[in-house]
Amino acid sequence: MSASAKPSQATITIEGSNTTAVLPLLSGTLGPQVADIRKLQSQAGIFTFDPGYGETASCESKITYIDGDEGVLLYRGYPIAQLAEKSTFLEVAYLLMYGELPNEAQFKEFEHGVTMHTMLHEQIRRFWEGFRRDAHPMAVLCGVVGAMSAFYPDSVNINDAREREISAFRLIAKLPTITAWAYKYSIGQPFMYPRNDLSYAENFLYMMNAVPAESYRKNPILERAMDRILILHADHEQNASTSTVRLAGSTGANPFACIAAGIAALWGPAHGGANEAVLKMLGEIGDKKNIPAFIAEVKDKSSHTKLMGFGHRVYKNFDPRAKIMQQTCYEVLGELGIKNDPLLDLAMELEKIALDDDYFVSRKLYPNVDFYSGIILKAMGFPTTMFTPLFALARTTGWISQWMEMIEDPQQRIGRPRQLYTGAPQRDYVAIAARA
């Protein structure tokens, strides 16, 4: 083997025995080699322990690639910055689903396929009446999306490629309607039905903000901002919610149930609620004069105070999505003429201080996508309860693309993680009267 060639296998030897396991090393297009441990137990009588699967590849995928050390995010090989600047959300949806950017004819057909599914079955509308007005919108999304298989049984045959595609169209098309109606219901306003003459992003903003009593005015700056937010959140490799979708899908569950499972996983504050946590932090700081004391608390390890929206568990460098979101943030604030909002002023001051402070710069704790997206959404009038549903709306495209890839993967098998059992050893039952 030449000095530059990658090794093709790894060997594990069990200390104190003659047992050895030979593990093939697999090489992807990008990233480190991966040890194939599928025969580890049969060869060595052991299996691996990896809580959270942080060092384990659970699948093979061609959709998204992340290099956290270098701050790289690719959709099907395309840098996220190029797509956010030059593309549209529906074009990115096509790319994620089919692997290539569409030509004009392909895009028109795809756009038509999605647009013709924006309306909901009218009986689904009754679901909202079963929720309290103060129900969290994510609860509504979980319930309605999970129930869609009962209304669209013609597209739940996961072994039929065309039915999988129709399910994908329905989910991508209907999530804006479901999400907007969850918001309208919470504030007591009439539902606005989708308008197929508007773009994907503008249609969502219309259903969120329009009322029957007034004409609706389009805003290209806000439309583009929403489109970028959707693009930047469309997929993010094998995160908790995407892995949940794949795990549910590995059982043969229908796509609506799988996406509902992904929504439930995203609901957790450690996953989908990060931008909401940013605004909560800003509210707790309260005033720009309190920032120095807050920064001091963050630096004090004994205080357990966290600087939300800075740094990322994946990106050890600048979050590649953050620069785009920062630019979008300033565009939105400028368009809306927001100059004296205390919370937004506080956020901008905190950003400036943190970017100039060597403590944060040396640790590469730069503002991430959640820091700016929370500011943008607040400026656009979205309540914090709608932040995670918006995330789910965008991520549905990634989830369904990952689900489709999994179904078509010949190596796909039902998910069945192992465990390290630390409970009681086997013991015999003793009658209750005889127990001490």
Side-chain angles (χ1 to χ4, degrees), residues 25 87 121-122 165 185 187 206 219 240 249 322 327 351 381 392 410 416:
L25 292 179
S87 189
H121 191 292
E122 192 64 14
E165 186 176 53
Y185 183 75
I187 61 175
Y206 164 78
N219 187 315
Q327 175 189 343
E351 175 201 38
R416 181 59 173 90

Side-chain angles (χ1 to χ4, degrees), residues 101-253:
L101 289 170
N103 59 35
E104 188 173 355
Q106 290 169 332
F107 181 72
K108 285 184 177 180
E109 182 180 358
F110 178 76
E111 184 179 40
H112 178 79
V114 171
T115 302
M116 291 300 103
H117 288 287
T118 55
M119 291 184 65
L120 293 170
H121 191 292
E122 192 64 14
Q123 278 186 267
I124 294 181
R125 181 181 175 130
R126 298 181 184 176
F127 271 61
W128 274 261
E129 298 172 7
F131 291 102
R132 288 170 43 136
R133 289 281 179 182
D134 60 353
H136 196 288
M138 288 296 280
V140 177
L141 263 64
C142 283
V144 175
V145 173
M148 283 173 65
S149 61
F151 290 86
Y152 306 107
D154 59 316
S155 63
V156 297
N157 180 3
I158 65 172
N159 297 313
D160 186 291
R162 179 55 181 163
E163 289 196 23
R164 291 197 299 270
E165 186 176 53
I166 293 173
S167 290
F169 286 164
R170 283 175 167 156
L171 282 159
I172 294 170
K174 297 180 192 301
L175 253 296
T177 309
I178 295 170
T179 305
W181 284 13
Y183 170 66
K184 286 293 194 182
Y185 183 75
S186 71
I187 61 175
Q189 287 189 359
F191 293 164
M192 300 301 293
Y193 284 83
R195 277 180 49 180
N196 291 348
D197 62 319
L198 300 176
S199 72
Y200 189 90
E202 187 60 50
N203 176 55
F204 174 64
L205 292 176
Y206 164 78
M207 289 189 290
M208 284 286 298
N209 299 313
V211 292
E214 299 177 8
S215 59
Y216 177 72
R217 290 186 296 176
K218 296 174 61 174
N219 187 315
I221 301 296
L222 301 187
E223 176 188 1
R224 183 58 181 148
M226 180 54 59
D227 207 55
R228 281 180 180 168
I229 289 172
L230 297 176
I231 290 172
L232 295 176
H233 290 87
D235 199 54
H236 210 239
E237 219 185 64
Q238 303 308 315
N239 52 78
S241 58
T242 299
S243 298
T244 299
V245 170
R246 280 183 173 264
L247 193 61
S250 74
T251 70

Side-chain angles (χ1 to χ4, degrees), residues 126-407:
R126 298 181 184 176
F127 271 61
W128 274 261
E129 298 172 7
F131 291 102
R132 288 170 43 136
R133 289 281 179 182
D134 60 353
H136 196 288
M138 288 296 280
V140 177
L141 263 64
C142 283
V144 175
V145 173
M148 283 173 65
S149 61
F151 290 86
Y152 306 107
D154 59 316
S155 63
V156 297
N157 180 3
I158 65 172
N159 297 313
D160 186 291
R162 179 55 181 163
E163 289 196 23
R164 291 197 299 270
E165 186 176 53
I166 293 173
S167 290
F169 286 164
R170 283 175 167 156
L171 282 159
I172 294 170
K174 297 180 192 301
L175 253 296
T177 309
I178 295 170
T179 305
W181 284 13
Y183 170 66
K184 286 293 194 182
Y185 183 75
S186 71
I187 61 175
Q189 287 189 359
F191 293 164
M192 300 301 293
Y193 284 83
R195 277 180 49 180
N196 291 348
D197 62 319
L198 300 176
S199 72
Y200 189 90
E202 187 60 50
N203 176 55
F204 174 64
L205 292 176
Y206 164 78
M207 289 189 290
M208 284 286 298
N209 299 313
V211 292
E214 299 177 8
S215 59
Y216 177 72
R217 290 186 296 176
K218 296 174 61 174
N219 187 315
I221 301 296
L222 301 187
E223 176 188 1
R224 183 58 181 148
M226 180 54 59
D227 207 55
R228 281 180 180 168
I229 289 172
L230 297 176
I231 290 172
L232 295 176
H233 290 87
D235 199 54
H236 210 239
E237 219 185 64
Q238 303 308 315
N239 52 78
S241 58
T242 299
S243 298
T244 299
V245 170
R246 280 183 173 264
L247 193 61
S250 74
T251 70
N254 71 75
F256 304 107
C258 295
I259 300 305
I263 292 170
L266 187 71
W267 194 351
H271 188 12
N275 51 11
E276 186 173 345
V278 170
L279 291 190
K280 181 180 178 182
M281 174 192 70
L282 294 174
E284 291 172 350
I285 295 173
D287 192 282
K288 287 193 285 188
K289 67 181 181 182
N290 299 327
I291 291 180
F294 174 77
I295 293 293
E297 284 187 25
V298 171
K299 295 177 181 179
D300 181 2
K301 294 182 180 179
S302 64
S303 73
H304 304 294
T305 300
K306 294 183 179 180
L307 183 60
M308 305 304 297
F310 286 74
H312 196 279
R313 65 174 61 89
V314 173
Y315 299 108
K316 308 309 177 186
N317 205 314
F318 207 95
D319 183 342
R321 302 168 296 174
K323 293 180 181 179
I324 308 154
M325 198 64 83
Q326 180 191 51
Q327 175 189 343
T328 304
C329 181
Y330 292 136
E331 290 174 0
V332 168
L333 296 182
E335 172 66 17
L336 297 176
I338 297 176
K339 297 180 180 179
N340 299 311
D341 185 294
L343 206 62
L344 298 179
D345 288 346
L346 181 59
M348 295 299 101
E349 183 66 17
L350 184 62
E351 175 201 38
K352 179 182 177 182
I353 292 175
L355 288 176
D356 289 338
D357 191 314
D358 184 64
Y359 177 89
F360 300 107
V361 174
S362 64
R363 289 165 173 77
K364 298 182 179 180
L365 296 176
Y366 303 112
N368 61 35
V369 68
D370 298 308
F371 181 79
Y372 295 111
S373 65
I375 298 170
I376 294 171
L377 294 175
K378 181 183 185 302
M380 293 174 66
F382 288 93
T384 54
T385 54
M386 287 300 298
F387 288 5
T388 311
L390 270 167
F391 195 160
L393 162 59
R395 187 56 57 85
T396 293
T397 295
W399 288 333
I400 200 65
S401 300
Q402 296 271 354
W403 175 82
M404 292 173 75
E405 181 182 60
M406 181 206 67
I407 296 297

Side-chain angles (χ1 to χ4, degrees), residues 35-84:
D36 183 347
I37 63 171
R38 283 176 287 185
K39 295 185 178 180
L40 179 59
Q41 186 184 26
S42 63
Q43 291 186 14
I46 63 172
F47 52 86
T48 59
F49 181 65
D50 184 19
Y53 314 115
E55 304 296 329
T56 301
S58 61
C59 65
E60 180 180 318
S61 180
K62 296 180 174 67
I63 298 174
T64 305
Y65 174 75
I66 296 172
D67 185 333
D69 292 333
E70 298 298 325
V72 171
L73 172 60
L74 307 177
Y75 289 171
R76 298 285 192 176
Y78 291 96
I80 188 64
Q82 291 183 18
L83 294 172

